[in-house]
Amino acid sequence: MAERMLKFTVTPRSTPPKRDADVRKADFHEIYADFIDQKASEQASRCSQCGVPYCQTHCPLHNNIPDWLRMTAEGRLQEAYALSQATSSMPEVCGRICPQDRLCEGNCVIEQSGHGTVTIGAVERYINDKAWEEGWVQPLVAGPDRGRSVGIVGAGPAGLTAAERLREMGYAVTVYDRHDRPGGLLTYGIPGFKLEKPVVERRTRRLADGGVEFKLGFEVGRDATLAELRERHDAVLVATGVYKARDLTVPGGGSDGVVAALDYLIASNREDMGDEQPNYRHGPLYAAGKNVVVVGGGDTAMDCVRTAIRQGAAAVTCLYRRDRANMPGSAREVAHAEEEGVVFEWLAAPRAVTGEALHAAGLRAARMRLGPPDASGRQAPEEVEGADFELKADLIIKALGFDPEDLPTAFAAPDLAVSRWGTLKADFRSMMTSIPGVFAAGDIVRGASLVVWAIRDGRDAAAAVDRYLQAHASADALLAAE
Ligand code: FAD
Ligand code: SF4
Ligand code: SF4
């Protein structure tokens, strides 16, 4: 082993080639090319095979990273793939869009020792893309029929992961989603330059081919109540994500030209997937020729600024009230945005949307500074008096985060308990909500989070639903025997 591994002192870190900013700005394709085989093996060989691998501890799926890195270094790619997919339903998705700098790679000991982290995400993407190319990804095979059905509300990563696991266990699975395609935010939120859509489609097609039934264009609350769904299925899993956009509560915040981030991204993703959208390119959700200001500092804001650049905006500015070190989005995404020409106004908060007759023409902003840490330990931003400034802005995109929708009302289920933030309350171990037989997973429980956590929750929820249904099957059998 030692011969092939521990090469971090002689082999510098390198990522797959990144397309030049001027070239990649012209399309919505992913910005990284694939690793060539030899490069993947060389980069994997930099791993020092830690006895206590912090990379693995900090991966929400506890992926067996050191082992699949060693197999990749040794050219045993099919085995590396088998190991990687054993703990994740979408490893090639995580390899592309996990904020690795905050998770596995950010905790790699080689990074800590100043040699540059092992490129874990890029290797994960490589081995799993290779598996798809080589036909190693097997069709989904349903387990022996259990004679029970599970309804899943939401076809995002949490719902899809649970669907896959439950189908493998032999349950009949129906996934309901109000969109016309499955994938949740993988399809409609995250742009193609981070995650090309065919990567998601091949995963959802595998589920449909394996017998998972998708009922699309079906909104729970409009097309059925939760109680009706509960009648139809032996268990229900709610994995609806969080979608209520936080508002821009400043004077003029309701002007024409002020739009919600997800409306903006969904329209752009639809165009990328070839959907007809009459007048889209001349409408309020298209950035060509406009001065765009995106308010916010998370992943959504980064996706909006980079989308606006690709649509041909005249100028794109990101306004964030804290500084670079304190922004919630991935540092890697900020670097990509800067390379593509986005200007960042750190320590700045919107004060008013300016313009005539409620048509946005500009944004007046207050300069901020970071005050003393509050009870949570985070420094709160404070205004600097007399330092306001104005930006030209005829398209202002609100990317201030998301809250849960009011599910008890929408689902006509007043007994569905929610936290004070509106997220669904689910028991930590059983993952069951306050309604027996109704489970919850993903962002609707955690609040806006990450794809990798949704996958983790989907796996845990499938196991919890199975435990619940098995216990009921045993109880039914006992009753029948009496
Ligand atoms: P979702 O993916 O939101 O899926 C929920 C599904 O439920 C949706 O398809 C929705 O249509 C459906 N639904 C909702 N209500 C109903 C209803 N009443 N009836 C029927 N269907 C319903 N995470 C990362 O790890 N990396 C990133 O780079 C990243 N970028 C992001 C970029 C953007 C713009 C956004 C918004 C989020 C990003 N995230 C990222 C976060 C990540 O996408 C989410 O944490 C993850 O998708 C949550 O998964 P989920 O399955 O819980 O919910
Ligand atoms: Fe890293 Fe995410 Fe892959 Fe885990 S799932 S190894 S955190 S990229
Ligand atoms: Fe390898 Fe880094 Fe993980 Fe250690 S922490 S096992 S060096 S990837």
Side-chain angles (χ1 to χ4, degrees):
M1 182 270 279
E3 243 174 60
R4 284 202 190 267
M5 303 306 286
L6 297 135
K7 292 286 191 327
F8 62 93
T9 51
V10 287
T11 306
R13 172 180 189 271
S14 94
T15 57
K18 183 157 72 161
R19 293 197 293 141
D20 201 55
D22 282 337
V23 177
R24 68 186 197 237
K25 270 173 11 183
D27 61 50
F28 280 81
H29 293 303
E30 286 176 9
I31 68 169
Y32 285 105
D34 296 330
F35 260 146
I36 53 166
D37 298 0
Q38 185 209 344
K39 208 62 187 168
S41 137
E42 178 192 290
Q43 285 298 305
S45 74
R46 296 181 66 245
C47 170
S48 74
Q49 299 285 283
C50 304
V52 180
Y54 289 120
C55 55
Q56 182 169 6
T57 318
H58 286 86
C59 165
L61 295 165
H62 301 308
N63 281 341
N64 194 340
I65 300 164
D67 282 359
W68 48 252
L69 286 173
R70 179 170 40 80
M71 288 168 181
T72 306
E74 292 170 354
R76 295 157 59 197
L77 291 182
Q78 195 165 355
E79 289 169 77
Y81 155 70
L83 202 58
S84 156
Q85 63 86 50
T87 47
S88 176
S89 59
M90 306 179 191
E92 68 283 9
V93 172
C94 294
R96 284 171 163 83
I97 61 164
C98 266
Q100 286 107 8
D101 46 354
R102 286 192 266 142
L103 299 170
C104 53
E105 294 183 9
N107 291 280
C108 171
V109 290
I110 292 179
E111 170 81 351
Q112 312 295 333
S113 69
H115 288 88
T117 173
V118 177
T119 48
I120 301 169
V123 174
E124 186 179 30
R125 170 187 159 177
Y126 165 78
I127 48 186
N128 287 283
D129 280 353
K130 187 89 181 161
W132 281 100
E133 277 161 36
E134 298 290 332
W136 300 334
V137 179
Q138 296 299 306
L140 170 62
V141 178
D145 186 4
R146 305 275 190 116
R148 305 253 159 174
S149 85
V150 183
I152 298 179
V153 191
L160 293 176
T161 299
E164 176 181 305
R165 304 282 288 174
L166 288 162
R167 189 72 193 127
E168 281 168 352
M169 293 173 196
Y171 293 103
V173 178
T174 306
V175 180
Y176 302 86
D177 201 291
R178 61 187 173 192
H179 274 306
D180 53 353
R181 292 181 178 90
L185 290 171
L186 301 179
T187 299
Y188 282 115
I190 299 172
F193 51 80
K194 275 166 59 183
L195 177 64
E196 285 178 5
K197 301 305 156 189
V199 174
V200 183
E201 281 157 15
R202 66 189 178 191
R203 280 278 164 205
T204 56
R205 205 175 317 119
R206 179 173 172 273
L207 297 190
D209 291 347
V212 172
E213 187 188 5
F214 285 98
K215 285 204 185 295
L216 301 174
F218 188 109
E219 179 164 336
V220 177
R222 183 193 63 193
D223 301 313
T225 62
L226 184 61
E228 283 162 352
L229 232 56
R230 184 69 190 87
E231 281 281 297
R232 246 181 247 177
H233 299 284
D234 298 293
V236 171
L237 172 65
V238 180
T240 47
V242 287
Y243 283 90
K244 197 168 83 189
R246 292 191 193 133
D247 234 337
L248 189 58
T249 51
V250 298
S255 304
D256 287 349
V258 181
V259 304
L262 212 50
D263 292 345
Y264 175 70
L265 291 173
I266 289 174
S268 173
N269 277 314
R270 281 199 179 282
E271 178 165 86
D272 193 23
M273 290 185 283
D275 289 359
E276 287 279 320
Q277 299 183 98
N279 294 326
Y280 168 54
R281 289 202 166 203
H282 303 287
L285 294 174
Y286 202 73
K290 295 180 183 168
N291 290 298
V292 179
V293 176
V294 177
V295 185
D299 283 332
T300 306
M302 293 309 100
D303 289 352
C304 290
V305 288
R306 297 178 67 203
T307 297
I309 289 277
R310 281 160 177 75
Q311 291 180 343
V316 183
T317 306
C318 179
L319 202 75
Y320 180 56
R321 64 197 180 125
R322 291 191 163 91
D323 60 3
R324 179 191 287 262
N326 284 288
M327 90 180 278
S330 154
R332 191 181 55 182
E333 294 302 310
V334 177
H336 292 153
E338 283 180 325
E339 286 165 12
E340 290 166 10
V342 175
V343 174
F344 283 82
E345 282 288 353
W346 307 109
L347 291 165
R351 199 188 274 296
V353 175
T354 56
E356 286 183 13
L358 280 181
H359 283 282
L363 186 74
R364 196 159 56 248
R367 188 54 73 195
M368 312 298 279
R369 65 171 159 246
L370 291 181
D374 59 18
S376 72
R378 218 169 163 213
Q379 286 179 280
E382 304 170 341
E383 262 179 46
V384 179
E385 260 183 58
D388 285 11
F389 61 99
E390 184 134 357
L391 293 165
K392 273 201 211 166
D394 38 10
L395 173 56
I396 297 169
I397 303 176
K398 302 176 281 186
L400 296 155
F402 302 95
D403 290 315
E405 290 157 294
D406 176 2
L407 286 196
T409 305
F411 284 7
D415 295 345
L416 194 59
V418 294
S419 70
R420 65 187 157 114
W421 300 280
T423 48
L424 285 191
K425 276 190 181 172
D427 178 83
F428 172 64
R429 280 182 201 284
S430 71
M431 298 187 80
M432 192 138 65
T433 64
S434 52
I435 300 181
V438 176
F439 298 76
D443 279 6
I444 190 59
V445 179
R446 290 181 181 274
S449 179
L450 293 174
V451 169
V452 66
W453 279 114
I455 294 173
R456 166 72 189 269
D457 288 352
R459 292 172 70 88
D460 290 349
V465 168
D466 180 46
R467 279 195 304 273
Y468 168 83
L469 290 177
Q470 298 240 34
H472 274 247
S474 314
D476 290 350
L478 274 176
L479 277 177
E482 277 173 11

